[in-house]
Amino acid sequence: MSQETDFEKLVDLYYPSLYRFAFSLTRQESEACDLTQETFLIWAKKGHTVRDETKVKSWLFTTLHREYLQKHRRRVRFPQVELEDAETELPEIAPVTMGNIDRYNVLNALSQLDENFQAAIALFYLEDHTYPEIAEILQIPLGTVKSRISRGIVQLQALLSDRVTASIEREVARG
Amino acid sequence: MDKNRRDELVRTREWSERVQDANAAGPASSNEDSSPEEQLVRRESAEFNARVHHALAEIPVPPNLREQILARSKIVPVRSWGQQKHLLAMAAALALVATLSFAWLRQQEDKSFAGFRSRMVNFAVRQYSMDLHTNQLAAVQSFLTQNGAPTADSWLPSGLQGGPVMGGANLSWQGKPVGMICFRHHTGKTLYMFIINSADVPGVTPRFNAASEKTLATATWQHGGKTFLLAGDVPLQELESLAKS
C-alpha cells in the first residue's frame, strides 16, 4: 500500500471530525478549513514519527489545537480552577429548552463559554473522546479535564436557557 | 448530593458505550443505589448532553475540503541517502545547469510591462498551480499578505465581487512579489487575477487596457498603487466588462 493511499485513508477517517472541532473553536468556515488543512500538512511532514497507530487520532487533534492556540496568542493562560468555587446548583432546564438545542444556538453558546472550557467541552461532545484522550490532546491533567467539562456544561446549560428564553420572548412579542 | 457526584452525573454521556463515564453507575432507569435526585440529574444531563452532541455532529463539512487537504499535502517518499547518491549527483548537475540557464534567460527576458503580462499569461496557460485552494476571498487575501505578496485588499471590480473564488498563489516576476487570485467564470473557465506593485513594473500604463495575449483575453488597470492583470479564456469584451464595472 502506497504512502499516498495511506494518507488518503487517514484524511478520510479524520478530516470531518477535525473540521468540526476546528469549527467549534473558531466558528468560521475559512479558519476551520485552514486549521484542518494545516494539521494534515504537518502530518505529511512529521507523522512518520508517530510509531503507535493508536496515538494517531490524539496526535491530529493535539496538533490542530496547538495550531489554533498559536493563531490566538491573546488567549489567557489557564488558571488553576478550584472545585470548591464551582457552582453547586444546576439551573433548571425547562422542557422547551431541549427542543431548541440546535447547532446555531450551541455554537453561539460555546463561543461565550470561559475560554478555558471551550476546547474541553468541544472534545467532550464531538467524537468518542475519552477523558484520558482529552487530557492528552489538551496537555492538561485528567482531573482538570473533568472539572473543566463539568463547569463548562453548567455554563452551557445556563447560556442555552437564557438564549431560549430570549428567543421565546421575541416570538411572543411578535404575536 | 455530594458535589463530586453531581459533577460526575453532569458529564453523563450515553450516546456511545466507549465514552460512558466509568464512575456514573448504570443507566438512568436503574433504581439501585441512586437517589431520586441523582436519577433526575443523570436523566436530564444525559438528554441535554445527547442533544448538544447531535447538534455539533450536524456541523456541515465543506464538500471540497477533502480535495483541498489532498492537494495541499503532497507526500514525498523518503529514501535512504545511500540509495540516492548517484541521483543526488545528477540532480546537482542539473540544478547547476538550470540555475545558469535561468540566470541567462532572465537577463534576456523583457522587463517591461509587456514582459510581465506575457510571463503571467504563460503561467496561466501552462502551469496553473495554486498554493491555496479555497472559496474564501478573505483566506486568499490573508495568505498572500502573510507571504508578502500584493493583494486586492478590500477593493475588487464590481464584476468580480461575490464571484466564486477558487484560491490563490504567491508568485514572483523578476524577483518582485506577485499575488494571484483565481475566480471561476460562469462558463466554468478560470479567471486569473495577478496583482503587482506598480512601482515594480516599468512602463505600465495608468489607463485601463484590454488586449488578447496568446490564447487569453487580458485586462489591466491600476488602483491604490497596484497594477492588476485579469486574464482568462473568455471573450475579450466580457472580460473587459468584468474588469471595468
Side-chain angles (χ1 to χ4, degrees):
Chain A
M1 188 178 295
S2 69
Q3 279 185 313
E4 288 199 16
T5 306
D6 288 343
F7 181 75
E8 282 190 32
K9 288 190 174 183
L10 187 77
V11 171
D12 288 336
L13 196 56
Y14 293 117
Y15 87 92
S17 54
L18 280 169
Y19 172 81
R20 290 192 177 101
F21 178 47
F23 192 87
S24 67
L25 296 174
T26 63
R27 270 82 62 191
Q28 291 183 23
E29 180 182 312
S30 61
E31 198 171 345
C33 283
D34 286 343
L35 282 171
T36 309
Q37 291 180 38
E38 192 64 28
T39 299
F40 282 107
L41 185 63
I42 295 171
W43 170 266
K45 294 175 183 175
K46 300 181 182 178
H48 62 278
T49 61
V50 180
R51 304 294 181 193
D52 185 355
E53 285 188 3
T54 63
K55 300 294 185 185
V56 171
K57 181 180 177 182
S58 294
W59 191 97
L60 289 170
F61 279 85
T62 302
T63 301
L64 190 146
H65 185 243
R66 184 179 61 239
E67 292 299 305
Y68 166 73
L69 291 179
Q70 286 180 354
K71 290 178 189 294
H72 293 266
R73 290 270 182 211
R74 61 184 178 83
R75 289 168 66 93
V76 298
R77 302 179 73 176
F78 295 160
Q80 292 296 321
V81 176
E82 296 297 328
L83 281 177
E84 290 75 11
D85 295 335
E87 295 176 14
T88 55
E89 294 297 327
L90 284 172
E92 282 191 25
I93 307 174
V96 68
T97 305
M98 298 296 182
N100 287 315
I101 297 178
D102 57 26
R103 73 170 183 267
Y104 302 102
N105 289 333
V106 169
L107 286 168
N108 280 326
L110 203 59
S111 69
Q112 296 176 58
L113 283 184
D114 188 314
E115 284 191 351
N116 296 334
F117 303 155
Q118 286 184 15
I121 286 290
L123 290 169
F124 173 81
Y125 284 115
L126 286 167
E127 291 297 297
D128 291 346
H129 291 289
T130 63
Y131 296 121
E133 286 175 346
I134 297 174
E136 187 178 350
I137 291 168
L138 301 181
Q139 303 286 292
I140 54 178
L142 185 61
T144 307
V145 167
K146 292 184 176 182
S147 69
R148 286 185 182 175
I149 289 172
S150 297
R151 295 190 64 184
I153 291 174
V154 169
Q155 285 189 12
L156 202 63
Q157 290 167 337
L159 287 166
L160 285 170
S161 294
D162 290 344
R163 186 170 302 280
V164 168
T165 301
S167 173
I168 292 173
E169 287 174 346
R170 284 195 296 272
E171 287 182 17
V172 170
R174 280 197 291 265
Chain B
M1 186 190 307
D2 176 68
K3 173 62 174 65
N4 288 336
R5 181 61 178 157
R6 179 178 288 270
D7 283 346
E8 289 168 2
L9 294 174
V10 162
R11 297 192 305 262
T12 302
R13 293 188 287 183
E14 295 183 344
W15 58 81
S16 168
E17 286 187 4
R18 184 173 184 266
V19 298
Q20 284 188 17
D21 194 328
N23 294 326
S29 59
S30 171
N31 289 322
E32 295 184 12
D33 301 325
S34 294
S35 67
E37 183 185 11
E38 286 187 352
Q39 290 177 36
L40 177 64
V41 171
R42 183 193 293 116
R43 188 165 56 246
E44 289 184 343
S45 296
E47 184 176 359
F48 176 84
N49 290 336
R51 287 182 182 269
V52 173
H53 161 72
H54 290 299
L56 291 178
E58 289 178 356
I59 294 173
V61 180
N64 57 346
L65 177 58
R66 180 184 183 276
E67 283 64 41
Q68 289 177 2
I69 293 168
L70 295 178
R72 192 171 168 184
S73 306
K74 301 289 185 186
I75 296 292
V76 179
V78 178
R79 301 178 190 172
S80 69
W81 288 111
Q83 292 174 327
Q84 288 184 303
K85 278 182 185 173
H86 65 285
L87 291 174
L88 285 174
M90 194 180 305
L94 285 172
L96 180 61
V97 170
T99 301
L100 292 173
S101 301
F102 175 75
W104 181 81
L105 284 171
R106 189 162 151 173
Q107 289 289 325
Q108 313 303 314
E109 188 177 350
D110 184 354
K111 296 178 186 176
S112 69
F113 174 73
F116 167 74
R117 184 173 60 192
S118 177
R119 184 73 182 90
M120 292 302 110
V121 168
N122 280 342
F123 179 86
V125 170
R126 296 175 187 176
Q127 296 186 12
Y128 177 40
S129 175
M130 290 189 290
D131 296 330
L132 178 68
H133 295 255
T134 179
N135 60 359
Q136 302 294 320
L137 179 62
V140 179
Q141 306 266 51
S142 175
F143 169 78
L144 293 177
T145 301
Q146 288 173 8
N147 286 278
T151 72
D153 296 324
S154 59
W155 181 88
L156 276 179
S158 56
L160 291 176
Q161 291 175 15
V165 174
M166 296 172 65
N170 177 28
L171 310 175
S172 70
W173 176 77
Q174 295 292 328
K176 308 299 182 183
V178 178
M180 180 181 82
I181 304 176
C182 292
F183 301 85
R184 188 180 302 283
H185 190 252
H186 67 82
T187 58
K189 298 291 178 68
T190 303
L191 300 178
Y192 309 84
M193 187 169 76
F194 303 96
I195 310 158
I196 186 170
N197 293 319
S198 298
D200 293 338
V201 188
V204 60
T205 175
R207 66 179 183 276
F208 183 89
N209 178 265
S212 293
E213 177 77 27
K214 298 181 177 66
T215 59
L216 302 186
T218 69
T220 56
W221 66 94
Q222 292 191 47
H223 181 85
K226 297 172 187 172
T227 296
F228 294 78
L229 166 63
L230 184 66
D233 185 13
V234 297
L236 182 60
Q237 272 186 332
E238 185 163 351
L239 192 82
E240 190 176 356
S241 75
L242 279 174
K244 249 184 173 176
S245 56

